[in-house]
């Protein structure tokens, strides 16, 4: 059982992460697609992807999904992991449940499943590309920095300033899920806001472009 980010780092650093003949990637986002495509390019015989979401709900672009399927990955939608199956200390598959809904009536991520809907996807390697979140434990005692129910930091969308003067936040800790370019955009916006905060100015991005 491998973690998605560590698997990708290993593949890009030394090119030889250990995977079996039948790989199962758990997740429906961009990292999951990257893991599946990387496993295929490493020469594994079969790659499956299992995700909670339906095809329309998957948190990545349709283009990336199509490219992943074009390379040979097999997609299983609306299924959630129940337990990893093992035999003699080795992975042999994943037991899944059919997903009833991914979000609750208020639109929050809160998966529910059909009881008695267990099925098994055979695999000798499982790659986890889900479940990442920001560690905000360092904010304990700083109530002026508000945290949403989704575990992200609340900021002014124009300046990215938190509720504590002089403290700014951006990227996934604010977006929850975002792209690299969105994170870079937050960095640029925050840099300008910090410049204005420190120098007590109201400069705009247009001036810096000139």
């Amino acid at each position: 059982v491998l973690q998605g980010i560590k698997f990708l780092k290993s593949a890009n650093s030394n090119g030889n992460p250990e995977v079996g003949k039948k790989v199962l990637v758990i997740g429906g986002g961009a990292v999951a697609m990257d893991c599946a495509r990387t496993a295929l390019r490493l020469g594994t015989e079969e790659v499956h992807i299992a995700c909670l979401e339906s095809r329309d709900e998957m948190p990545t672009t349709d283009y990336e999904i199509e490219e992943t399927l074009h390379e040979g990955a097999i997609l299983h939608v609306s299924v959630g992991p129940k337990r990893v199956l093992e035999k003699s200390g080795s992975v042999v598959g994943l037991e899944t449940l059919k997903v009833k809904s991914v979000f609750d009536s208020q639109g929050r991520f809160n998966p529910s499943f059909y009881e008695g809907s267990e099925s098994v996807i055979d695999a000798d390697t499982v790659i986890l590309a889900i479940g990442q979140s920001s560690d905000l434990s360092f904010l304990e005692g700083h109530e002026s920095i508000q945290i949403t129910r989704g575990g992200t930091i609340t900021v002014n969308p124009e300046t990215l300033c938190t509720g504590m003067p002089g403290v700014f936040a951006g990227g996934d800790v604010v977006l929850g899920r975002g792209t690299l370019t969105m994170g870079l955009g937050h960095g640029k916006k925050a840099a300008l806001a910090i410049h204005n905060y420190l120098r007590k100015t109201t400069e705009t991005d247009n001036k810096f472009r000139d």
Side-chain angles (χ1 to χ4, degrees):
V1 178
L2 308 173
Q3 293 184 4
I5 297 298
K6 289 184 177 180
F7 167 72
L8 291 175
K9 183 177 180 180
S10 177
N12 283 279
S13 297
N14 50 45
N16 61 350
E18 295 184 6
V19 293
K21 295 182 178 180
K22 185 177 286 189
V23 173
L24 172 61
V25 179
I26 302 176
V31 173
M33 301 304 112
D34 287 346
C35 288
R37 299 173 77 175
T38 299
L40 286 164
R41 293 169 189 179
L42 289 171
T44 190
E45 294 180 3
E46 199 170 294
V47 175
H48 294 254
I49 302 169
C51 66
L52 294 168
E53 298 87 358
S54 66
R55 174 64 184 270
D56 294 337
E57 294 172 324
M58 290 175 66
T60 189
T61 64
D62 193 61
Y63 172 80
E64 188 163 20
I65 298 169
E66 288 296 333
E67 288 292 299
T68 305
L69 297 179
H70 179 72
E71 290 196 36
I74 301 167
L75 180 62
H76 306 262
V77 297
S78 299
V79 294
K82 182 177 181 181
R83 60 177 177 142
V84 174
L85 304 177
E86 62 89 22
K87 183 177 181 180
S88 302
S90 297
V91 171
V92 295
L94 178 76
E95 186 175 32
T96 66
L97 287 168
K98 289 184 179 180
V99 174
K100 184 182 297 184
S101 63
V102 178
F103 304 98
D104 62 20
S105 58
Q106 296 181 341
R108 294 174 299 192
F109 181 77
N110 187 21
S112 61
F113 305 92
Y114 290 102
E115 294 185 11
S117 63
E118 288 84 355
S119 62
V120 174
I121 302 173
D122 295 331
D124 54 17
T125 303
V126 173
I127 300 176
L128 303 174
I130 56 174
Q132 289 188 315
S133 60
S134 300
D135 180 4
L136 302 180
S137 58
F138 70 96
L139 293 177
E140 186 175 347
H142 300 286
E143 287 73 18
S144 57
I145 300 179
Q146 297 181 345
I147 302 174
T148 69
R149 297 185 68 174
T152 58
I153 295 177
T154 301
V155 297
N156 180 313
E158 297 303 319
T159 64
L160 299 182
C161 183
T162 68
M164 180 181 289
V167 177
F168 299 78
D172 284 356
V173 77
V174 170
L175 298 167
R177 285 192 300 221
T179 63
L180 174 62
T181 52
M182 292 169 71
L184 291 171
H186 270 195
K188 183 177 181 181
K189 180 180 288 188
L192 177 59
I194 292 168
H195 172 89
N196 286 330
Y197 175 80
L198 293 174
R199 294 180 177 270
K200 294 180 172 50
T201 56
T202 55
E203 305 289 359
T204 64
D205 188 38
N206 291 330
K207 177 177 179 178
F208 290 95
R209 288 177 182 173
D210 297 336

